[in-house]
């Protein structure tokens, strides 16, 4: 299975930033996987303790953003859980189906 | 539905005609020739967005229109809003690059869709989905007075 350089970079950044107890990054690109345009990141970390979802996602975005605030790829789905939440429920939401525009 | 479309037209960026054109063909030419007068300076765009999120209790920045979403994430948020039964307004960011980039700056959030309720940024697709499932979204909508107790 294709595992590209951008995915490796995302994994390394998230590991470095959140020292996760569980990390899963999935290449969800709709076209060729080599595009590495869409990712899903499931991150389980103590860092998220006491933070609401919006703030957790902001932290994850910030770890991957370019200096100008953009992401270096098209789309990022995030599941950010604390170890306690992960132990209680390790289900993650499915990706929405692409509606075709993808622009 | 007509009410929804009328509200879109009122905020000036999205009309049913343009939405249909955008659904048929997504080319730059389409957007350029039909572009409305959106301010082209950063402050102007911020002011416009500020006005949109304050005048519309539930405001969705999305790709495409509620009737024809152009992205799965936007589509999912539209479905959730329909499921809650609230009336909402939307802007199709594909029709204007200054809004598309401006809303990312405004919210300090790198992706579309983006949902605002009562002038407050709620989140993107992941967070809206999570909030819908937990009941938090209903609570937010009730607090905003757009969903009956």
């Amino acid at each position: 299975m294709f595992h590209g350089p951008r995915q490796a970079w995302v994994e390394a950044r998230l590991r470095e930033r959140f020292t996760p107890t569980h990390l899963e990054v999935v290449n969800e690109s709709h076209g060729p996987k080599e595009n590495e345009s869409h990712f899903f990141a499931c991150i389980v970390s103590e860092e998220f303790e006491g933070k609401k979802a919006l703030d957790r996602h902001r932290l994850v975005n910030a770890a991957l953003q370019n200096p100008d605030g953009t992401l270096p790829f098209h789309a990022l789905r995030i599941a950010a859980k604390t170890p306690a939440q992960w132990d209680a429920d390790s289900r993650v939401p499915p990706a929405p189906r692409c509606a075709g525009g993808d622009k | 539905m007509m009410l929804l479309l009328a509200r879109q037209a009122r905020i000036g960026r999205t009309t049913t005609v343009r939405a249909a054109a955008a659904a048929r063909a997504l080319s730059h030419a389409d957007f350029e020739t039909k572009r409305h007068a959106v301010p082209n300076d950063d402050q102007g765009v911020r002011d416009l967005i500020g006005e949109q999120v304050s005048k519309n209790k539930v405001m969705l920045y999305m790709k495409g229109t509620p009737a024809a979403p152009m992205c799965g994430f936007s589509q999912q948020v539209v479905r959730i809003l329909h499921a809650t039964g609230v009336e909402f307004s939307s802007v199709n960011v594909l029709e204007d690059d200054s809004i598309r980039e401006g809303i990312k700056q405004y919210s300090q959030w790198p992706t579309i869709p983006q949902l605002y309720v009562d002038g407050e940024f709620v989140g993107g697709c992941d967070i809206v989905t999570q909030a819908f499932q937990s009941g938090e979204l209903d609570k937010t909508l009730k607090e905003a007075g757009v969903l009956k107790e």
Side-chain angles (χ1 to χ4, degrees):
Chain A
M1 189 156 128
F2 176 75
H3 186 272
R6 189 173 283 161
Q7 180 168 352
W9 176 82
V10 169
E11 288 163 351
R13 281 292 294 149
L14 295 176
R15 264 188 221 295
E16 180 192 355
R17 174 65 184 80
F18 298 102
T19 47
T21 55
H22 175 83
L23 177 71
E24 187 183 4
V25 176
V26 182
N27 179 350
E28 294 186 328
S29 306
H30 299 133
K33 291 289 178 199
E34 287 75 8
N35 286 354
E36 296 198 280
S37 58
H38 295 58
F39 286 105
F40 169 61
C42 175
I43 309 154
V44 181
S45 168
E46 296 283 1
E47 276 266 340
F48 300 132
E49 203 69 61
K51 296 187 175 80
K52 57 184 183 149
L54 189 63
D55 296 328
R56 295 178 185 190
H57 286 227
R58 283 197 190 282
L59 287 179
V60 176
N61 285 328
L64 301 174
Q65 275 166 2
N66 297 316
D68 68 356
T70 60
L71 283 173
F73 42 84
H74 183 80
L76 176 65
R77 288 202 306 126
I78 299 168
K81 300 188 179 220
T82 63
Q85 286 176 322
W86 181 250
D87 287 345
D89 184 357
S90 62
R91 286 174 301 174
V92 294
R97 286 165 94 99
C98 180
D102 200 21
K103 179 156 164 40
Chain B
M1 188 46 136
M2 286 314 294
L3 182 60
L4 178 68
L5 295 174
R7 285 173 63 84
Q8 285 173 354
R10 190 168 57 74
I11 57 171
R13 248 50 55 188
T14 307
T15 65
T16 52
V17 176
R18 294 178 71 213
R24 277 199 303 278
L26 280 171
S27 74
H28 273 298
D30 273 351
F31 301 137
E32 280 164 12
T33 54
K34 291 168 194 160
R35 176 167 289 192
H36 284 199
V38 171
N40 56 12
D41 62 297
D42 288 356
Q43 186 58 49
V45 172
R46 268 198 300 277
D47 290 347
L48 174 65
I49 292 170
E51 191 182 318
Q52 288 171 341
V53 300
S54 63
K55 285 190 175 164
N56 299 279
K57 283 269 190 180
V58 184
M59 184 74 222
L60 177 64
Y61 294 85
M62 64 177 290
K63 293 183 178 176
T65 63
M70 298 300 289
C71 151
F73 298 99
S74 290
Q75 181 172 56
Q76 183 156 319
V77 175
V78 166
R79 284 180 178 163
I80 287 171
L81 289 175
H82 283 322
T84 65
V86 296
E87 188 183 304
F88 64 98
S89 303
S90 66
V91 165
N92 178 1
V93 303
L94 295 181
E95 293 191 338
D96 202 290
D97 270 347
S98 59
I99 297 271
R100 183 178 182 172
E101 296 314 314
I103 190 63
K104 294 177 185 176
Q105 290 293 324
Y106 189 89
S107 313
Q108 294 291 297
W109 192 262
T111 49
I112 308 291
Q114 296 189 15
L115 180 67
Y116 276 81
V117 176
D118 220 1
E120 290 279 322
F121 179 52
V122 175
C125 181
D126 293 326
I127 290 175
V128 171
T129 303
Q130 203 176 313
F132 176 61
Q133 287 165 349
S134 70
E136 193 66 27
L137 184 63
D138 272 19
K139 202 174 135 214
T140 304
L141 294 169
K142 280 172 185 163
E143 281 167 8
V146 288
L147 192 64
K148 299 279 174 285
E149 291 291 338

